[in-house]
Amino acid sequence: MLLFKISGLLVVFLVSASLGLLKSESLKLRCDRLEKIVKSLNRLCELVRIGGYEIDELISVCFDSNIINSEKGNFFICEEYLLKEDIDILREFFNGFGVTDKEGEVKRIKLFCSLLEGKHRDAQKAFLELGRLYRSVGLMGGLILCIFLM
């Protein structure tokens, strides 16, 4: 009987700690994803300035296929780890991409790049502030729950 109780408490503790770690990791992955998107937008800006590429080629050269894909002018954004506001900014960017001349596109890319850089800074700040909190709350919550159930 005691063995079942101890194993149950261990499971409760591990689940609680895992939830805290997973939440912290999702903040880090959002931060990493936004950093990749900002770097890809900077690369896109340079290639648009140089010229000579089709839109689908630009997207495939600049962005990882697990972040953004392009097929016949349709853009598919992987929404994993991104917030709704991040996705809305990306959709707004890609809905108007390729509409203006080269200089207009460069200015537009720089504008959206600065918006996403702000989101990246916010994500870094959130990870630094909340990442450790989520890990601690998960561990301490599991420990408190185990003590309470003893």
Side-chain angles (χ1 to χ4, degrees):
M1 186 70 172
L2 182 64
L3 183 63
F4 288 125
K5 189 172 187 176
I6 291 174
S7 63
L9 291 174
L10 182 64
V11 167
V12 167
F13 175 74
L14 290 176
V15 166
S16 178
S18 297
L19 288 174
L21 291 172
L22 286 174
K23 183 61 178 171
S24 173
E25 187 65 19
S26 70
L27 291 175
K28 183 175 179 354
L29 289 172
R30 176 179 178 247
C31 187
D32 293 344
R33 178 71 49 106
L34 285 172
E35 182 180 9
K36 286 181 182 178
I37 291 172
V38 168
K39 286 181 181 179
S40 297
L41 280 175
N42 286 326
R43 192 175 325 127
L44 180 68
C45 185
E46 293 302 318
L47 291 178
V48 166
R49 185 176 287 131
I50 292 170
Y53 288 95
E54 293 291 324
I55 291 176
D56 289 338
E57 288 177 306
L58 282 171
I59 300 304
S60 66
V61 167
C62 295
F63 291 93
D64 290 338
S65 61
N66 62 347
I67 296 176
I68 296 171
N69 282 323
S70 174
E71 186 177 309
K72 298 179 184 175
N74 295 322
F75 301 100
F76 305 100
I77 301 168
C78 179
E79 300 178 0
E80 191 175 28
Y81 306 120
L82 296 175
L83 298 178
K84 184 182 179 330
E85 56 198 33
D86 304 333
I87 296 165
D88 290 342
I89 290 172
L90 287 170
R91 281 198 180 123
E92 185 177 340
F93 172 74
F94 285 112
N95 285 339
F97 184 63
V99 176
T100 63
D101 63 333
K102 191 184 332 184
E103 291 303 316
E105 284 298 326
V106 168
K107 288 179 184 176
R108 192 168 180 281
I109 292 169
K110 286 182 179 181
L111 171 70
F112 279 92
C113 191
S114 66
L115 286 173
L116 288 170
E117 283 173 347
K119 293 291 181 189
H120 179 248
R121 279 191 301 275
D122 293 344
Q124 282 180 325
K125 186 178 177 184
F127 174 68
L128 290 175
E129 291 175 359
L130 298 176
R132 193 166 130 196
L133 175 72
Y134 287 139
R135 289 187 299 270
S136 299
V137 166
L139 290 171
M140 295 306 291
L143 189 61
I144 290 171
L145 200 58
C146 285
I147 291 171
F148 179 72
L149 292 175
M150 279 181 137

